[in-house]
Amino acid sequence: MVGTKLMTTRLSPTCLLLAFLLAHSLSLTAGNPWKVLKRVGTFIDSMSVRGLDRNYIDAPQRPWQIIARGNVNQSSLKMNAKGTIMGIPYTAKPYLKTEPSQYVGMWVGYRGYGLGYTVNVGGDKGSYLTFGATGGAYGVNVRIHSFKNSNPKFSLNSSIIPEESADTWEEVQLIEPIRVRTIIADGYYLFNGKRFSYAAAYDQSVLQKRSAGSLMAGAMYYYGHINYASHTNGDLIYLMNGLGRVKLWQGSVGVGYAYNWVPARGLLVSVMAMPMLTFVNKIKAYGYATNVEEMLEDPRLSEEDITDEQWDEIFYNGLRISPMGDKTFNSGMTVNFDARVSLTYNFGRYFVSAYGQFNTFRYRHDSSRGRLNDRFINTAFGVRL
C-alpha cells in the first residue's frame, strides 16, 4: 500500500506548503539545508492546529510517526438471472466471496505527511492499493482491489435439474475464474472541522480530547469490472442470458453524520454513516453467443455408459462463445451506503487503532442483476518520535 496523508485546516495544505517552499527557495541553495528543514517542520507544526479549538483537538508533542499496519479485506458478488433452458424456465444465482486477504506493511510520516507500503501475505492472492488524505475539514480515500474466484456458490432452480442432483450445483469449480476489479474513491467535507477531527480516528496525526460530532457531505466514485468471458465459461454465460462482462461507473453524493466519542483519556471511538444517492449509474454490458444448446444435444452426451469425467471433457472442450457486441446505458438512480467504525487508544508515545469500512454497490441489466459488497478492517500499532 502506498498512502499519502495530508494534514490541514480549512486552507489547502498543498498551496500553503508550495508558498512556503517558494519563499525559502534561496535558503535551499545558499543556506543551511537542515535549518530549512527545521523551518518546514515548524511551519507544519503550526499548520496542524491552526483554526482548531484546542479544547477539543490538539497535536502530539512528538511529530514523527512510525506505524506497523495490517489489513484484512473481503469482497462478495451476488448475481441473479432468469431465463429458459431449451424452453424450460430457470433462475440462476451465482455467488462468490473472496477468502479474507491479509496485508502487512509500514507507514512513516511527519504530522500526517508520509508514505506507507503493504504486501499480501495470504487470502485471495489479489492486489490491494490505497491512497488517502485526511485533514481538519475533509477526508479523501482511494482503494483499488483486484481478485479472482474459481469456486462460486451457485443456486440453480429449474425443473430441468433432477432433485437428487440439485446439491451438486451449490459448489462450482470453474476452469477459468471470474475476475473482478474495483476502484472506490470517496471524499467528505466536515461542517464542524473546528472541533471534530477525522485525522484523530484514521491517521492519529492529531488527538481528539473531547467528544464531538459533525454533519458531513460526501461524494463517491466507483468503477467495477466483472469478467468471466471465456469458452469454458460458456455455460455460465448462457445462464446469465449471454452476459459475459460488465463494467460499471457510479457517481454518488450523500449527507451523513460522524461522531468521535472520548469515553476516557486516550480512548477514541469514531462512527460514520452515510446513505448515498447514486445519480450516475452507467453500465457497459458485453454480450456473447454460446453453443450450449447445440452441445447439450450432442448424442455422445446421452450415451448410457458415459462417465462424469467423459461428459465434462466432451462438453467443455466443445463449448464456444462469440462476441455479440456491447451496449452502454444508464441503469437509473439507486441508493448505496457507506459506513465506518474505528477504535483508537493513545498511551504515551504509542497508540493502537483499528477501523473498518463497508460499501455496497448494485447494478441491473435486463433480467440480470448483481450486488457487490466490499469490506475491510485495518489495524495499526504506532510510535511517535
Side-chain angles (χ1 to χ4, degrees):
M1 177 177 69
V2 179
T4 304
K5 304 290 185 181
L6 304 179
M7 179 62 206
T8 185
T9 59
R10 297 184 184 275
L11 298 178
S12 167
T14 304
C15 294
L16 289 172
L17 189 56
L18 287 175
F20 176 83
L21 294 177
L22 180 62
H24 290 79
S25 59
L26 293 177
S27 298
L28 288 171
T29 56
N32 186 339
W34 293 108
K35 187 176 181 181
V36 174
L37 290 176
K38 185 176 180 179
R39 290 181 178 178
V40 172
T42 302
F43 177 75
I44 295 176
D45 290 345
S46 63
M47 188 176 65
S48 64
V49 293
R50 182 176 299 169
L52 302 179
D53 188 333
R54 301 292 290 273
N55 293 318
Y56 285 81
I57 303 172
D58 205 355
Q61 292 183 350
R62 297 180 174 88
W64 287 96
Q65 298 165 291
I66 300 178
I67 305 174
R69 288 182 167 172
N71 174 287
V72 178
N73 188 92
Q74 188 174 43
S75 299
S76 63
L77 174 65
K78 294 182 179 180
M79 296 185 287
N80 187 301
K82 295 180 180 181
T84 59
I85 300 176
M86 303 177 69
I88 301 175
Y90 71 87
T91 300
K93 297 179 180 180
Y95 172 72
L96 62 90
K97 179 186 292 186
T98 66
E99 293 295 326
S101 55
Q102 297 89 37
Y103 299 80
V104 296
M106 298 292 296
W107 188 86
V108 179
Y110 184 90
R111 294 291 187 208
Y113 293 85
L115 295 174
Y117 183 73
T118 63
V119 295
N120 180 282
V121 295
D124 62 19
K125 304 303 181 183
S127 61
Y128 194 86
L129 181 65
T130 66
F131 303 86
T134 55
Y138 70 89
V140 178
N141 293 278
V142 179
R143 293 184 289 121
I144 304 172
H145 187 208
S146 300
F147 66 91
K148 56 186 178 181
N149 189 291
S150 299
N151 302 94
K153 292 184 178 181
F154 205 95
S155 173
L156 182 62
N157 299 318
S158 174
S159 59
I160 199 173
I161 304 298
E163 184 177 350
E164 62 272 14
S165 303
D167 292 342
T168 63
W169 287 85
E170 293 183 359
E171 296 288 345
V172 177
Q173 176 67 50
L174 299 178
I175 299 174
E176 289 290 331
I178 299 174
R179 303 175 187 273
V180 181
R181 185 186 185 196
T182 64
I183 301 174
I184 301 174
D186 53 41
Y188 308 96
Y189 179 80
L190 307 173
F191 292 94
N192 188 24
K194 184 177 181 179
R195 293 186 174 90
F196 173 88
S197 173
Y198 227 53
Y202 296 106
D203 69 15
Q204 292 77 45
S205 57
V206 297
L207 301 173
Q208 184 84 42
K209 299 165 63 177
R210 300 174 62 180
S211 301
S214 178
L215 186 70
M216 59 194 307
M220 178 178 291
Y221 167 81
Y222 169 77
Y223 167 81
H225 185 192
I226 304 166
N227 184 7
Y228 47 92
S230 67
H231 292 302
T232 53
N233 285 338
D235 52 349
L236 176 58
I237 293 172
Y238 178 78
L239 292 174
M240 300 306 294
N241 295 318
L243 190 65
R245 290 173 60 197
V246 181
K247 290 184 178 181
L248 306 96
W249 296 266
Q250 294 186 345
S252 307
V253 294
V255 176
Y257 191 80
Y259 189 78
N260 283 350
W261 179 43
V262 184
R265 182 183 178 89
L267 182 61
L268 172 63
V269 181
S270 180
V271 295
M272 182 276 287
M274 180 180 294
M276 308 193 81
L277 178 64
T278 300
F279 61 94
V280 175
N281 199 359
K282 183 180 177 182
I283 298 177
K284 188 172 186 178
Y286 295 80
Y288 294 84
T290 74
N291 64 338
V292 169
E293 293 189 4
E294 290 83 352
M295 289 304 303
L296 290 175
E297 294 176 349
D298 191 314
R300 294 174 297 172
L301 299 180
S302 58
E303 296 178 0
E304 293 184 359
D305 59 346
I306 190 172
T307 65
D308 291 342
E309 290 77 12
Q310 291 172 331
W311 197 100
D312 288 344
E313 182 178 1
I314 294 172
F315 181 75
Y316 287 104
N317 284 340
L319 277 182
R320 292 293 181 269
I321 65 171
S322 57
M324 295 287 290
D326 56 75
K327 181 180 179 181
T328 302
F329 55 94
N330 288 317
S331 186
M333 290 189 179
T334 187
V335 176
N336 291 319
F337 194 76
D338 190 11
R340 292 189 181 193
V341 178
S342 76
L343 176 67
T344 302
Y345 182 63
N346 295 278
F347 51 104
R349 66 169 63 185
Y350 304 99
F351 58 89
V352 292
S353 69
Y355 77 89
Q357 182 168 345
F358 174 81
N359 299 105
T360 182
F361 303 93
R362 296 176 175 86
Y363 75 87
R364 180 182 291 273
H365 170 60
D366 294 335
S367 59
S368 299
R369 63 182 186 271
R371 183 179 69 189
L372 179 68
N373 292 329
D374 187 82
R375 60 187 69 86
F376 70 91
I377 297 176
N378 280 342
T379 59
F381 173 79
V383 58
R384 298 185 177 96
L385 302 174

